Amino acid sequence: MPTRLSSRGSCPTVPDTLTATIVDGTSKIDAKVWNALVAASDPHANPFLDHAFFLAMEQSGSATRRTGWSPRHVLLEDGETAVGLLPMYEKTHSQGEYVFDHGWANAFEQAGGSYYPKLQCSVPFTPVTAPKLLTARDDPALKRALLTAAVTYAEQRGISSITRPSCRKRKHRLPPRGLAAAYMDTQYHWHQSGFPQL
């Protein structure tokens, strides 16, 4: 059953009309809604952000609770209209992410904390550089609302961290003020002249 998080009164930077729902499976979000939010957010039309790709990952058994990838997608609505989506998974390990945070996990646990579960905003098993804050329009309030909903969910469940690897633009890497710490990484991209860029 989806978890509904209302922004009403909880965060002054988030419009009062927005409601966030944590959805536990791609199949529970209409493909047209998902893909419209991708189209509005990603000018490169990245095929790995498509509803069908996430659905295949989950229905094939690759990204499921059994494999340590429990879907927890954030769907943001203004009334009855979907205005934002953050693909997200609750993870019980760090495999399949192409982010090597085992040192963080060990340090956190040695300090007495429990690193897992954690929330991972990503395309499963795919180190693709792509936006993860998918919104109907380029509105910072919508992106902040998605991140705030993820943080609220993490706090309610006692989850240690939220990561969003492989974000293309600096503005997409920034967390909501006072809610998280940002980290930077390095990626290497190879280009072949004479071939179109995707």
Side-chain angles (χ1 to χ4, degrees):
M1 179 170 173
T3 302
R4 293 188 71 76
L5 306 168
S6 176
S7 66
R8 292 177 181 85
S10 63
C11 183
T13 61
V14 175
D16 286 342
T17 59
L18 299 179
T19 302
T21 304
I22 306 299
V23 183
D24 63 359
T26 299
S27 65
K28 297 178 181 177
I29 301 174
D30 185 270
K32 288 180 184 176
V33 168
W34 182 297
N35 290 335
L37 292 168
V38 170
S41 303
D42 184 20
H44 304 288
N46 189 317
F48 296 109
L49 291 177
D50 194 276
H51 183 272
F53 186 80
F54 280 83
L55 190 63
M57 289 276 96
E58 293 170 21
Q59 289 185 343
S60 69
S62 300
T64 63
R65 182 177 180 196
R66 184 183 60 77
T67 61
W69 289 78
S70 297
R72 299 290 184 263
H73 309 309
V74 180
L75 182 63
L76 189 65
E77 295 174 294
D78 191 347
E80 298 295 316
T81 304
V83 295
L85 174 68
L86 175 60
M88 186 168 71
Y89 290 86
E90 189 170 325
K91 298 285 307 296
T92 57
H93 54 70
S94 294
Q95 282 91 33
E97 298 172 10
Y98 300 93
V99 173
F100 302 102
D101 61 352
H102 303 288
W104 286 101
N106 290 338
F108 196 72
E109 290 180 6
Q110 287 175 4
S114 181
Y115 191 71
Y116 302 106
K118 66 176 186 171
L119 294 175
Q120 179 81 10
C121 308
S122 68
V123 180
F125 308 104
T126 310
V128 62
T129 302
K132 306 303 185 308
L133 299 170
L134 308 174
T135 55
R137 57 190 180 280
D138 189 21
D139 182 347
L142 295 178
K143 293 174 183 174
R144 188 165 301 284
L146 286 168
L147 291 172
T148 300
V151 169
T152 300
Y153 178 75
E155 289 173 346
Q156 288 175 352
R157 302 258 306 151
I159 293 173
S160 70
S161 61
I162 304 169
T163 57
R164 290 183 304 129
S166 305
C167 292
R168 176 174 282 131
K169 296 181 181 177
R170 180 176 298 275
K171 66 181 181 180
H172 293 152
R173 290 193 294 251
L174 296 176
R177 279 186 211 109
L179 296 177
Y183 71 88
M184 302 296 289
D185 67 350
T186 301
Q187 294 184 345
Y188 297 93
H189 297 257
W190 286 264
H191 300 276
Q192 293 180 316
S193 31
F195 292 91
Q197 297 297 314
L198 299 178

